[in-house]
Each structure stands twice: as C-alpha cells, then as structure tokens.
Amino acid sequence: MSWYAKAMAGAVAAYALSPIDLIPDFIPVLGYLDDLLIVPVGVFLTVQMIQPVVMADLRAKADLRAQRPISASGAAAIAAIWVAALVAALAWWRTR
C-alpha cells in the first residue's frame, strides 16, 4: 500500500476520532453534516487510492479470518468481566 493511501487513512481516522471538528457539533444541522459528509468521502477516497492487487489480497485475508472458529469460552470470559465490573460499580454506588 502506498504511503499516500496510508496517510489518507490516518487522516480520516484522526478526523473521525478527534473531538475537534471543522464545524463544531453545537451548530444545528451543519455541525453533524460535516461529519456525515467528510468521513464517508474520506473513506471512499482512501479505498480508491489502494491498488486493486493489494485490495484483493486484503479481502482474501479478511475472508480467511472470518472463517476462524468462534471462541465461546473467550466470549464467556469477556461477559463475566463486564458483569463483575457492573456488579462492582453498583455495589460502590449503593454504599455511597
């Protein structure tokens, strides 16, 4: 992948995750309209910059990763951690 495609992808991700916007969100309609337009256009341009051979290779790798088995025990462990955190937060809140 070329450096300018990586730079564009980084810029789009930075803009999407940044709390600083081109037009502040508190301005009615326009505040969210810039996010609604800039981010998808940036993603589209980034995808267009990636060479077809590279994109085909990345899609093949994504297909292989999607076929991996799902770990039920891993999902259960994550769910248990979230439940324990929720119980701890509720216990802390209740004792206050």
Side-chain angles (χ1 to χ4, degrees):
M1 194 159 50
S2 60
W3 68 269
Y4 52 87
K6 290 179 183 179
M8 182 70 167
V12 170
Y15 182 79
L17 298 174
S18 173
I20 301 170
D21 286 337
L22 200 58
I23 301 172
D25 289 341
F26 63 83
I27 297 174
V29 180
L30 294 178
Y32 292 112
L33 189 61
D34 74 327
D35 293 334
L36 190 64
L37 294 175
I38 291 174
V39 174
V41 169
V43 170
F44 175 77
L45 292 175
T46 301
V47 169
Q48 294 301 313
M49 288 181 187
I50 299 172
Q51 295 130 355
V53 175
V54 174
M55 185 62 82
D57 182 49
L58 293 173
R59 288 185 182 183
K61 288 180 182 178
D63 286 341
L64 286 176
R65 288 187 181 186
Q67 294 173 1
R68 287 185 177 175
I70 297 171
S71 172
S73 60
I78 298 294
I81 291 170
W82 276 103
V83 168
L86 180 62
V87 169
L90 287 173
W92 175 79
W93 178 70
R94 184 157 171 103
T95 58
R96 287 193 65 186

